[in-house]
Amino acid sequence: MSTSAVHLINLTKQYPHSTKPAVSNLTLHIPEGAVYGLLGPNGAGKSTTVMMLCGLMRPDAGTVNVLGMDMQEQSVEIRKKIGVASQDIALFPTLTAYENLFYFGRMYGMSGSMIRQQIDKYLHVFGLTEKSKKIVHTFSGGMKRRLNLMAALLHQPKLVILDEPTAGVDVQSRNMILDFLTLLKSEGTTIIYSSHVLEEAERICSHLGVIDEGKFITEGTLVDIMNTHSDCQSLEQLFLKLTGKNIRD
Amino acid sequence: MKTLATIYKEFLLLIRDPGGLALIFIMPLALVMVMALVQDAPFRDYQEIKLDVLFVDQDGDSLSAKVKQAFDASPNVNLVVKTDTTEAKQLVRSGAFKAAIVIPAHSSETLREKTRQLIVEVFSNFGLTEAPKDSVDLAAIGIKVLFDPAIKSNYKQTLTGGIQKIVAGIQAEWILDELQNQLSEGRSDVKKTPVNLTEIIQVNEQYASEKKYEGLMLNSVQHNVPAWTMFAMFFILYPLAGNFIKEREEGSMLRLRLISGSQFPVISGKFAFYFLVCLLQFVLMIAVGIYIMPLLGLSKLVLGTNIIGILLVACSVAMAATGYGVLIAVYFRTPQQALSFGSVSVVILSAIGGVWVPVYVMPEILQTLSRFSPMSWGLEAFNDLFLRQASIQTILPNVLRLTGFSLVALFISVIIHKSRTIL
């Protein structure tokens, strides 16, 4: 068995005033270097799982082990090694791109020279060098999304968690982001990728987990899952087969 | 380094927020000037009363002359002489004058006669002279004081008290004068001593302050500048809570929460930055009190001698204001809740803290409540320093109260923040 980047064992979480658990006895193993697609309809339990994985929420039961460390005991160490790009644009709109990145670099505890080096690298990779001195609220949706991703990567995390990283961006920006994620994968970084755009997941993910009503309904490598459901021509067909066609709230 | 980075980030956010800058600096400066101008007259009412009073002299003799002389010497009354009582009454009724003093005809003559009768009666009681045979029972002298119905009761009391004091003095002087007349029995070789009772007992008003600041008292500027400065400093919660909650809603706070070890620098950096902003507000407002207020025809703000004490109080007020702002920012989940509660609570704290009107003119229940307002502690400390030239020891209890308030607010904020965060 390969080394685990993430190992969740019997994870359970029920919100107060809720009649059923958001996540129920969830067990998951993500090998190092994998790009793991965490898929599921709205309200399936993806965000709750990710929050527990990041240490933002305490599980009612079960254990969270990230990069070989237990979340209960070593959350500080774990958070130094993970980068999270949430669906929301988590930036300061009245700061420039450079000021935003420099501030987050400082908060990661990086030195000034290291921050500058990383900023220059990512500005170049994501095509924002020319815009680095511009105020963020003047950026297009795609530019903000790229910058949001850069802020999660500055400190060179070993595990990157991405929630809808391409939401609201144009085709070019989406392509640039996916190309970069492929590059990141080739460098051995583990990526957890949560998205509703299944063709993107099909393009970059090595492993998949489809979650519904707080439980995995299928989980494994993309190849194995597609082979098991050979009647499905695409991931979207598979997804609808497993989760049904009923609209979710 | 992380705290410094947060301070610099907050600085950039503020300088790019014209609304926030106006709220922090321009509005308070305008507010303190307007309030000082508006409250200048009421403060003068209490302390620098100068009444225009009509004086109708129907006596035309020494009593009315003495009354006029006494009021002419008073700094609080400006006598305007009229001869017609009906006209004077009309002028007072119309509100053109607050009061009129009418000295009836023959008042001096009556007073002289009543005094003479009194002395003769006393002498006859002691067997020094024969009992008067033709004594006429004279009516009391009726000095009239007409008041405008809209006059404030304290003006009325001041004027009535002043007249009674003057008349009593004149009466006593005339009695002594008549006593000398009776004892001299008309002999021209007896030297009479001029009677002036004010030389026997003098009441001197003094303020218990240092010689250099003698005469300095609470006026509109001395009250309003420190009072509204504190109000403005407490209003720091507006940009502080606004930015804090905006960051929470926009997601940047979530990113910071995910960064290990960033919580203390984020809170301490925000606290330090807004603490410095509060101090800058204080310096600007004080500068307005010293340099701008005199240009508006108001008094110049006098700071007193204890500069270290002033800095100490300013720092403790800034701490209290910033701590309160952090608490509001952390406790409330939406900007609407935070800003509505925050601004109303600051207005209430300022009202009971003596910002709007001095605590000593408030009802007793509010005076008791004011002891729980940090603005009252700050204002008391500033008054101690500005007007009473107090020592550090004197202001220390209020400084400690303000600092304690800040630390308690921060402590509660940290507990709330932690309870809503992470593992």
Side-chain angles (χ1 to χ4, degrees), chain A residues 80-133:
Chain A
K80 280 182 186 169
K81 291 179 178 169
I82 62 175
V84 182
S86 63
Q87 189 176 353
D88 296 324
I89 303 292
L91 299 166
F92 299 102
T94 55
L95 298 188
T96 66
Y98 195 92
E99 287 162 352
N100 263 287
L101 295 174
F102 202 90
Y103 176 63
F104 288 120
R106 277 282 185 230
M107 299 314 282
Y108 283 124
M110 297 162 69
S111 68
S113 58
M114 177 59 103
I115 297 171
R116 278 186 281 275
Q117 189 185 322
Q118 287 291 95
I119 290 175
D120 289 345
K121 174 183 148 189
Y122 285 122
L123 284 173
H124 177 70
V125 168
F126 285 103
L128 287 174
T129 306
E130 300 294 310
K131 306 284 184 184
S132 67
K133 302 280 187 256

Side-chain angles (χ1 to χ4, degrees), chain A residues 31 38 89 108 114 122 127 146 162 185 198 232 240 245:
Chain A
L38 188 60
I89 303 292
Y108 283 124
M114 177 59 103
Y122 285 122
R146 281 179 271 158
L162 307 172
K185 174 187 172 184
L198 300 180
C232 299
L240 288 171
K245 291 186 177 176

Side-chain angles (χ1 to χ4, degrees), chain A:
Chain A
M1 188 178 165
S2 56
T3 318
S4 282
V6 174
H7 197 183
L8 309 179
I9 304 165
N10 294 329
L11 211 58
T12 299
K13 178 74 190 179
Q14 182 161 352
Y15 291 108
H17 313 299
S18 174
T19 52
K20 54 183 182 179
V23 171
S24 177
N25 273 316
L26 199 80
T27 296
L28 170 65
H29 160 75
I30 301 175
E32 270 187 9
V35 178
Y36 192 95
L38 188 60
L39 310 177
N42 289 338
K46 300 189 300 291
S47 298
T48 305
T49 306
V50 167
M51 281 202 276
M52 289 190 283
L53 192 58
C54 300
L56 284 174
M57 189 182 281
R58 195 188 296 272
D60 296 336
T63 57
V64 178
N65 191 290
V66 178
L67 301 168
M69 293 175 280
D70 184 79
M71 183 59 82
Q72 285 276 63
E73 290 166 6
Q74 292 171 280
S75 67
V76 172
E77 281 306 305
I78 291 172
R79 272 186 269 140
K80 280 182 186 169
K81 291 179 178 169
I82 62 175
V84 182
S86 63
Q87 189 176 353
D88 296 324
I89 303 292
L91 299 166
F92 299 102
T94 55
L95 298 188
T96 66
Y98 195 92
E99 287 162 352
N100 263 287
L101 295 174
F102 202 90
Y103 176 63
F104 288 120
R106 277 282 185 230
M107 299 314 282
Y108 283 124
M110 297 162 69
S111 68
S113 58
M114 177 59 103
I115 297 171
R116 278 186 281 275
Q117 189 185 322
Q118 287 291 95
I119 290 175
D120 289 345
K121 174 183 148 189
Y122 285 122
L123 284 173
H124 177 70
V125 168
F126 285 103
L128 287 174
T129 306
E130 300 294 310
K131 306 284 184 184
S132 67
K133 302 280 187 256
K134 299 277 182 201
I135 301 288
V136 167
H137 74 72
T138 63
F139 280 18
S140 67
M143 288 158 73
K144 284 179 187 167
R145 190 62 68 187
R146 281 179 271 158
L147 191 63
N148 195 43
L149 183 56
M150 287 162 67
L153 300 170
L154 270 182
H155 60 305
Q156 297 172 294
K158 290 192 170 174
L159 171 66
V160 177
I161 300 169
L162 307 172
D163 188 9
E164 302 282 359
T166 58
V169 304
D170 61 17
V171 176
Q172 286 78 6
S173 284
R174 184 196 302 166
N175 195 52
M176 178 181 273
I177 289 170
L178 294 178
D179 279 351
F180 175 75
L181 293 178
T182 309
L183 177 72
L184 209 59
K185 174 187 172 184
S186 70
E187 289 171 355
T189 306
T190 308
I191 300 169
I192 296 176
Y193 184 88
S194 174
S195 176
H196 290 295
V197 189
L198 300 180
E199 65 179 44
E200 285 180 10
E202 207 167 357
R203 176 172 158 186
I204 64 161
C205 292
S206 57
H207 293 67
L208 281 181
V210 180
I211 191 170
D212 199 10
E213 295 186 343
K215 293 176 182 167
F216 277 120
I217 45 179
T218 188
E219 208 258 322
T221 65
L222 179 63
V223 176
D224 288 347
I225 291 172
M226 293 309 285
N227 285 342
T228 308
H229 302 275
S230 52
D231 55 322
C232 299
Q233 301 300 308
S234 66
L235 190 54
E236 188 169 323
Q237 278 184 13
L238 171 66
F239 186 84
L240 288 171
K241 179 187 165 189
L242 295 172
T243 59
K245 291 186 177 176
N246 290 339
I247 301 288
R248 308 298 179 91
D249 292 330

Side-chain angles (χ1 to χ4, degrees), chain A residues 52 54-59 71-72 75-77 79-80 82 84-86 88-96 99 103-104 106-109 135 147-149 151-152, chain B residues 1-10 12-14 16-17 246-263 265-266 270 420-423:
Chain A
M52 289 190 283
C54 300
L56 284 174
M57 189 182 281
R58 195 188 296 272
M71 183 59 82
Q72 285 276 63
S75 67
V76 172
E77 281 306 305
R79 272 186 269 140
K80 280 182 186 169
I82 62 175
V84 182
S86 63
D88 296 324
I89 303 292
L91 299 166
F92 299 102
T94 55
L95 298 188
T96 66
E99 287 162 352
Y103 176 63
F104 288 120
R106 277 282 185 230
M107 299 314 282
Y108 283 124
I135 301 288
L147 191 63
N148 195 43
L149 183 56
Chain B
M1 196 56 90
K2 289 180 180 180
T3 302
L4 282 178
T6 304
I7 292 173
Y8 182 62
K9 185 263 290 180
E10 292 295 332
L12 292 175
L13 291 179
L14 184 64
R16 288 172 194 166
D17 177 11
K246 203 161 73 183
E247 286 173 15
R248 205 159 59 202
E249 287 186 334
E250 285 169 353
S252 47
M253 189 63 80
L254 177 70
R255 187 190 294 287
L256 292 169
R257 278 166 61 186
L258 282 164
I259 298 175
S260 157
S262 68
Q263 292 307 289
V266 167
K270 279 181 186 293
R420 291 178 183 169
T421 318
I422 327 184
L423 287 168

Side-chain angles (χ1 to χ4, degrees), chain B residues 9-81:
Chain B
K9 185 263 290 180
E10 292 295 332
F11 168 73
L12 292 175
L13 291 179
L14 184 64
I15 59 167
R16 288 172 194 166
D17 177 11
L21 281 175
L23 192 75
I24 290 175
F25 295 114
I26 310 222
M27 297 293 284
L29 293 181
L31 184 68
V32 76
M33 285 191 270
V34 169
M35 291 310 291
L37 281 166
V38 166
Q39 291 201 349
D40 189 46
F43 266 95
R44 284 178 196 273
D45 278 357
Y46 290 118
Q47 291 152 345
E48 296 167 32
I49 175 175
K50 183 84 178 174
L51 279 179
D52 285 331
V53 174
L54 291 172
F55 185 72
V56 183
D57 181 6
Q58 294 175 331
D59 177 41
D61 203 342
S62 39
L63 176 65
S64 59
K66 281 262 185 186
V67 172
K68 185 172 183 304
Q69 190 187 0
F71 274 117
D72 280 342
S74 164
N76 301 114
V77 172
N78 177 35
L79 278 191
V80 177
V81 178

Side-chain angles (χ1 to χ4, degrees), chain B residues 14 20 23-25 230-242 273-279 281 317-318 320-326 339 346:
Chain B
L14 184 64
L23 192 75
I24 290 175
F25 295 114
M230 281 194 308
F231 182 81
M233 286 161 90
F234 269 82
F235 243 87
I236 202 79
L237 74 86
Y238 218 86
L240 197 164
F273 176 73
Y274 284 102
F275 170 81
L276 293 173
V277 170
C278 280
L279 288 185
Q281 281 181 311
V317 172
T322 315
Y324 187 62
V326 171
L339 302 182
V346 168

